[in-house]
Amino acid sequence: MNLVRLIYASRFCEGKFDTKELSRINHSSQKNNKISELTGILVFGDDFFLQCLEGDREEVSKTYHRISQDPRHESVVILSMEDAIRREFSEWDMKCVILTEANNNLIREFSTTSKFHPHKMHHKNSLELMKALRK
Ligand code: FAD
C-alpha cells in the first residue's frame, strides 16, 4: 500500500448547521471508509470543516473526489497530500469532532486566527490540531 495523508478544508453551505447532518456524514464515512481501509478525523467548527484522510493513495483520491462534489460544503481546498510512514488516526474509520469553547486554547495554539478558519492554517499546524483532538 502507498500510504498517504490528505488534509483539506471546506465550508458548510446548507443553512444552519444541524448535528443530524454530521451524523449522516459520519454514518456514510464509517461505512465507506471501513471498506476502503481509510482512517481519519473530521473536525467541524464555526461552519468550517477540516478533514484528514489516510490510506492507500488511490482510495484516498477516489474518496476525496467524491467528498469534494458533495453539495453540503463549498470552498473545498486541499491543504496537503503527502506520503505517510504511519497512520495518525488508525483507531478510527472517521472520528468526528465538533469544536466547542473548551477547544479555544487549542485553536489559538495552532492558528494565526482567533476563530477556527482551517483555510488559513498551515497544513502542519492543522495536522497538529487534529492530533491534539484525537484524545
Ligand atoms: P450513503 O452513505 O448511502 O448516503 C446516504 C446517506 O447520506 C443518507 O443519509 C443521505 O441522506 C446522506 N447524503 C448523501 N449525500 C447527501 C447530500 N448530498 N445531501 C444530503 N444528504 C446526503 N464520505 C465517505 O465515504 N468518507 C468520508 O470520510 C466522508 N467525509 C465527508 C466529509 C464532509 C465534510 C462531507 C460534506 C461529506 C463527507 N462524506 C464522506 C460523504 C460523501 O460526500 C458522500 O455523500 C458519501 O461518501 C456517499 O456515500 P454513499 O454513496 O455510500 O451514500
Side-chain angles (χ1 to χ4, degrees):
M1 177 191 293
N2 289 310
L3 185 68
V4 297
R5 179 177 304 113
L6 184 149
I7 300 175
Y8 77 84
S10 67
R11 189 168 56 220
F12 180 68
C13 67
E14 283 204 348
K16 197 169 161 12
F17 181 75
D18 176 355
T19 51
K20 279 192 199 141
E21 198 59 73
L22 197 63
S23 301
R24 281 194 283 271
I25 292 170
N26 193 19
H27 182 263
S28 301
S29 305
Q30 306 254 349
K31 175 185 64 137
N32 295 328
N33 296 358
K34 191 180 279 302
I35 295 166
S36 309
E37 296 184 13
L38 299 187
T39 52
I41 184 168
L42 174 64
V43 180
F44 179 81
D46 280 321
D47 272 356
F48 289 104
F49 290 109
L50 174 67
Q51 187 172 28
C52 172
L53 293 163
E54 301 173 323
D56 179 66
R57 181 182 293 147
E58 214 171 300
E59 294 297 335
V60 167
S61 294
K62 266 199 283 187
T63 301
Y64 170 74
H65 283 294
R66 193 172 65 244
I67 295 171
S68 67
Q69 305 299 315
D70 194 313
R72 288 172 284 188
H73 60 167
E74 61 187 8
S75 306
V76 186
V77 174
I78 292 179
L79 303 186
S80 68
M81 177 154 169
E82 298 181 322
D83 291 343
I85 295 162
R86 59 166 193 280
R87 292 176 190 253
E88 295 292 353
F89 305 98
S90 56
E91 290 170 45
W92 300 281
D93 301 316
M94 190 49 60
K95 181 177 174 68
C96 285
V97 177
I98 299 182
L99 295 174
T100 65
E101 284 189 6
N103 302 119
N104 281 350
N105 285 345
L106 269 184
I107 292 161
R108 275 194 288 272
E109 186 180 341
F110 295 113
S111 303
T112 51
T113 52
S114 56
K115 282 186 133 192
F116 180 57
H117 196 329
H119 296 79
K120 295 188 174 171
M121 291 177 82
H122 190 282
H123 72 92
K124 286 195 176 135
N125 287 339
S126 70
L127 178 60
E128 290 309 312
L129 173 64
M130 290 187 281
K131 281 161 66 176
L133 291 167
R134 74 189 157 181
K135 287 150 202 158

